[in-house]
Amino acid sequence: MAVEVVMPKLGMAMKEGSVSLWHKKEGDPVTKGEIIANIGSEKIETDLEAPADGVLLKIAVPEGEGVPPGTVIGYIGQPGEQVGGVAAGAAEGPTADGSPSGGAVPDAAPAGGTVSSEAPAHGRDIKISPVARKMAEAAGLDIAKLTGTGPQGRITKEDVEHAIANPPSAPAAPASAEEAAASSDGASAAPSAATAVPSGFTEHTEQIPVTGIRKVIAARMHDSLQQSAQLTLTLRADVTDLLALQRQMSETAQRQHEVKLTVTDFISRAVVLSLKRHKQMNSAYIDDRIHVFDHVHLGIAVALDKGLVVPVIRHADRYSVLDLSRQIKALAQQARNGQLGSDALQGSTFTITNLGAYGIDYFTPILNTPEAGILGVGSVAEMPVYKGDSLQRRSLLPLSLTFDHRVLDGAPAAEFLRAVKDALEDPYRLVL
């Protein structure tokens, strides 16, 4: 009996998920535990493993189509096995490119008439798979001008790929002044593939639909820049003593508490203490009001293969450096395993993002709105620094603070950033 492949529930609040990518085609052999697809929701994207050995008999949900958790998105079984009483090769429903798998089930005709053999005037009535439609829109193709090779003339992903790889020649000049005027005032049709793909590109350009977590990130980052007045301040903190303290404590913490202390743990503690002293930075701009928080819910950005998430340490002001370290590592691991619920990704009052591991110095982090601030951490660099009259080798840490100028001005933001610097340069304050 065929085994159902279902859309998993990625968090308690998940209402819809989609297949970002099928790694297998219908008829391909699969092994239990093998990754067969990438599954994404608005918050998380993860791999989907095959629940059984066999072949992928049928793909019931194409790439990019949203369905509720628990929906059957495919079937795995033995070659020729029936799915729901129908042979796999003739089963109803769309394949990975959105066309009927067996070609025997025609698309439903529009209300009030039959399907015309000619392309309809409106794009929404054209028979085209969801993935093919998204690819055509991204490439600027007029789908009314595409020729479908799927059943009943349906436009498939392969048809769009062919159109992108073989753009039509540029249209001839208008035959009259009236036509030229119509063209110049925007009366012409949608841009063709020739205008969408830069001239000189003869090889096929991959088109990647923006779905799942990538789509959410794109929307949030754009909205953040559109809906706030962002300014970034930078400085360096001398963390020479902090690194020495971290090395001293690391072995003891590992042995007695099974916690590996990192510089990020100390930075988090310094930020929390500074936010308690400079509460205007621990705020949010919501509905023309500045909400100043007594608690600190600290967001820590975590980079994933498919994007970025910001799990939240609630009431971080109640934690010691050791406790913060445990929380940071636990949440980061859950994020990488796709185990975070939506509640763990909401409600932060301030965020830290660290690109030091990539050798980055200063950068401009984008606010995690409606928060008023986000701290970017760069890579520690060894530099010569004068201490009095002597030149010493010191470890300097780049810090980049982006803040919402609607909430506070440059001076109080600079005071907060200076407070973080002072705390890092007097590291024993962070453990007492």
Side-chain angles (χ1 to χ4, degrees):
M1 181 176 181
V3 177
E4 296 178 345
V5 181
V6 301
M7 174 64 66
K9 190 173 181 64
L10 306 176
M12 295 299 295
M14 175 181 168
K15 297 180 179 179
E16 184 178 277
S18 62
V19 180
S20 306
L21 176 67
W22 279 104
H23 293 282
K24 298 289 185 178
K25 302 187 299 293
E26 290 187 356
D28 284 353
V30 298
T31 305
K32 183 177 181 180
E34 180 182 7
I35 296 174
I36 58 173
N38 293 127
I39 303 297
S41 68
E42 288 191 349
K43 294 289 185 180
I44 301 172
E45 185 151 347
T46 188
D47 297 327
L48 180 66
E49 299 178 352
D53 296 331
V55 298
L56 185 57
L57 296 174
K58 173 178 169 55
I59 291 176
V61 175
E63 294 175 357
E65 183 175 312
V67 294
T71 301
V72 178
I73 62 175
Y75 295 88
I76 294 175
Q78 299 306 311
E81 187 173 353
Q82 292 187 341
V83 177
V86 180
E92 298 181 4
T95 61
D97 68 358
S99 61
S101 58
V105 183
D107 292 292
T114 58
V115 178
S116 170
S117 60
E118 296 181 358
H122 301 289
R124 71 180 63 181
D125 298 324
I126 295 175
K127 299 169 73 172
I128 181 172
S129 73
V131 173
R133 183 184 295 275
K134 290 184 179 181
M135 291 176 60
E137 291 174 353
L141 296 177
D142 184 354
I143 60 176
K145 298 180 179 180
L146 298 179
T147 301
T149 60
Q152 304 294 318
R154 189 184 187 95
I155 299 171
T156 66
K157 179 172 63 175
E158 287 74 17
D159 296 329
V160 178
E161 290 175 343
H162 178 76
I164 294 173
N166 300 277
S169 57
S176 65
E178 289 79 9
E179 291 179 14
S183 176
S184 63
D185 68 6
S188 59
S192 68
T195 59
V197 180
S199 60
F201 280 76
T202 57
E203 297 181 357
H204 170 62
T205 302
E206 182 183 6
Q207 302 289 328
I208 303 175
V210 181
T211 61
I213 190 172
R214 186 74 262 161
K215 186 174 183 179
V216 174
I217 292 172
R220 285 184 59 84
M221 294 298 97
H222 182 266
D223 290 345
S224 175
L225 292 173
Q226 293 291 320
Q227 299 174 8
S228 58
Q230 303 191 23
L231 178 66
T232 302
L233 305 178
T234 64
L235 55 68
R236 286 190 178 95
D238 187 339
V239 293
T240 308
D241 296 338
L242 172 61
L243 294 177
L245 177 62
Q246 183 254 338
R247 287 191 294 269
Q248 293 172 9
M249 294 184 60
S250 182
E251 183 178 345
T252 302
Q254 183 76 42
R255 184 176 63 252
Q256 295 186 1
H257 304 281
E258 297 183 349
V259 175
K260 182 179 179 181
L261 287 175
T262 67
V263 174
T264 299
D265 303 331
F266 287 94
I267 294 172
S268 300
R269 178 61 175 164
V271 166
V272 169
L273 293 178
S274 300
L275 288 172
K276 296 297 289 184
R277 291 175 52 196
H278 300 270
K279 291 188 176 182
Q280 196 174 2
M281 184 60 71
N282 190 47
S283 62
Y285 192 100
I286 305 173
D287 296 331
D288 292 327
R289 292 177 180 271
I290 298 172
H291 298 248
V292 182
F293 305 107
D294 288 329
H295 56 269
V296 177
H297 293 340
L298 188 64
I300 303 291
V302 178
L304 307 177
D305 291 340
K306 301 297 182 180
L308 183 76
V309 295
V310 184
V312 181
I313 302 173
R314 303 196 179 279
H315 298 288
D317 45 312
R318 300 177 182 175
Y319 294 141
S320 66
V321 171
L322 283 172
D323 293 330
L324 282 174
S325 182
R326 291 190 184 96
Q327 290 288 323
I328 292 171
K329 292 170 180 58
L331 288 172
Q333 189 60 47
Q334 291 175 34
R336 295 186 181 100
N337 293 339
Q339 298 172 337
L340 286 177
S342 59
D343 291 344
L345 300 169
Q346 299 176 358
S348 55
T349 61
F350 189 90
T351 296
I352 297 174
T353 178
N354 192 334
L355 294 180
Y358 302 95
I360 300 299
D361 293 328
Y362 297 105
F363 59 102
T364 306
I366 298 176
L367 287 175
N368 186 19
T369 52
E371 297 171 20
I374 180 172
L375 182 68
V377 181
S379 178
V380 175
E382 301 295 319
M383 294 186 179
V385 177
Y386 274 103
K387 301 290 285 186
D389 293 332
S390 63
L391 191 62
Q392 300 181 16
R393 178 176 177 174
R394 309 292 291 181
S395 300
L396 302 184
L397 176 69
L399 299 175
S400 305
L401 173 70
T402 295
F403 67 97
D404 191 341
H405 218 316
R406 300 175 303 168
V407 176
L408 69 167
D409 297 324
E415 290 176 356
F416 166 78
L417 187 56
R418 183 57 187 256
V420 175
K421 168 184 165 72
D422 291 343
L424 294 174
E425 293 182 347
D426 186 10
Y428 287 96
R429 291 168 45 189
L430 306 177
V431 297
L432 296 177

